[in-house]
Amino acid sequence: MTWQPRPPFHAGKLADAMDRFRTDACRTLASGYAVLLDANQGHVPTKNDLDIGRFVKAIPHMALCAVTKPDRCIYRVAGEALKTRIGFNPTGRNYYDFVPAERRTSAARAMHMVIDTPCAFRAEIRQAYSNGLSLTVEAVGFPLLADEPNVDGFILFADQAIESTAELARTEHQLLGANVVQRDLIDLGAGIDTEFVDMTWDANTT
């Protein structure tokens, strides 16, 4: 497998990013978060401020993770469609456990950037499964301020397959790993890290 350091594929304001979303779940979360951000006068909301009713269509594909530096991004909640697709309930698991060791530092930097800047991201990710299949998903992550001790921040995700999952669903399977192919950064009003470079998977190699 070949890893390539790549800057963001696209970077811009949330309004400019809307046309880039390829799945209903990610588009719904982005639209709902934009309304929530506006209602909060441009300030990032806390987890307790979250109005889940704004994201009804995305809920089956959503997840909430608690980020604690330097190496924990723990799933707190996962939607039913997400659990079905990956083949298990990730609640309580560390997201970084599904990231190849070679890019865990890069993955952690991306998550820390979301809560520290704060900003958001859209990523296209190639996922590998235990039945030998793989598919590309779209994921988007938005920050929520920490409102409990020992948590540096929360990230609200939507994660939906871009490709058909019909073949995947015909056999028992579990997610083995996830490799970012490209990442966009989304400016929520506080700017973005213009020096961010991701370690991405080169789809033309094995």
Side-chain angles (χ1 to χ4, degrees), residues 102-120:
E102 306 95 302
R103 66 170 309 274
R104 284 178 191 164
T105 298
S106 176
R109 183 182 175 191
M111 299 307 170
H112 298 167
M113 176 177 60
V114 169
I115 63 174
D116 288 343
T117 303
C119 63

Side-chain angles (χ1 to χ4, degrees), residues 84-106:
T84 297
R85 193 188 77 234
I86 67 175
F88 59 92
N89 184 353
T91 302
R93 299 282 300 274
N94 190 345
Y95 165 76
Y96 302 134
D97 290 344
F98 306 108
V99 177
E102 306 95 302
R103 66 170 309 274
R104 284 178 191 164
T105 298
S106 176

Side-chain angles (χ1 to χ4, degrees), residues 29-205:
L29 178 55
S31 297
Y33 190 91
V35 173
L36 186 61
L37 194 66
D38 186 60
N40 209 35
Q41 299 175 334
H43 299 294
V44 172
T46 68
K47 178 167 61 68
N48 288 340
D49 292 330
L50 192 62
D51 179 3
I52 203 69
R54 298 189 186 280
F55 314 114
V56 171
K57 292 181 179 179
I59 288 173
H61 304 278
M62 286 172 57
L64 177 70
C65 287
V67 178
T68 302
K69 299 174 186 176
D71 57 3
R72 293 174 66 80
C73 182
I74 305 299
Y75 283 93
R76 289 287 186 86
V77 180
E80 292 304 314
L82 175 58
K83 289 188 285 189
T84 297
R85 193 188 77 234
I86 67 175
F88 59 92
N89 184 353
T91 302
R93 299 282 300 274
N94 190 345
Y95 165 76
Y96 302 134
D97 290 344
F98 306 108
V99 177
E102 306 95 302
R103 66 170 309 274
R104 284 178 191 164
T105 298
S106 176
R109 183 182 175 191
M111 299 307 170
H112 298 167
M113 176 177 60
V114 169
I115 63 174
D116 288 343
T117 303
C119 63
F121 70 79
R122 187 197 77 92
E124 294 185 18
I125 302 169
R126 193 68 178 172
Q127 294 186 334
Y129 290 86
S130 58
N131 59 3
L133 296 175
S134 61
L135 56 81
T136 302
V137 305
E138 179 181 55
V140 63
F142 287 94
L144 298 172
L145 297 181
D147 51 7
E148 61 183 75
N150 302 316
V151 174
D152 293 309
F154 292 91
I155 302 179
L156 187 64
F157 292 95
D159 182 328
Q160 187 174 17
I162 296 172
E163 303 169 84
S164 171
T165 60
E167 186 177 1
L168 182 70
R170 281 194 281 269
T171 62
E172 292 187 5
H173 61 274
Q174 287 194 352
L175 176 68
L176 296 179
N179 301 316
V180 172
V181 176
Q182 65 178 48
R183 190 187 301 271
D184 298 346
L185 298 186
I186 301 172
D187 184 350
L188 301 177
I192 55 172
D193 181 356
T194 57
E195 297 182 356
F196 178 77
V197 175
D198 211 348
M199 292 302 295
T200 62
W201 178 59
D202 187 343
N204 295 316
T205 64

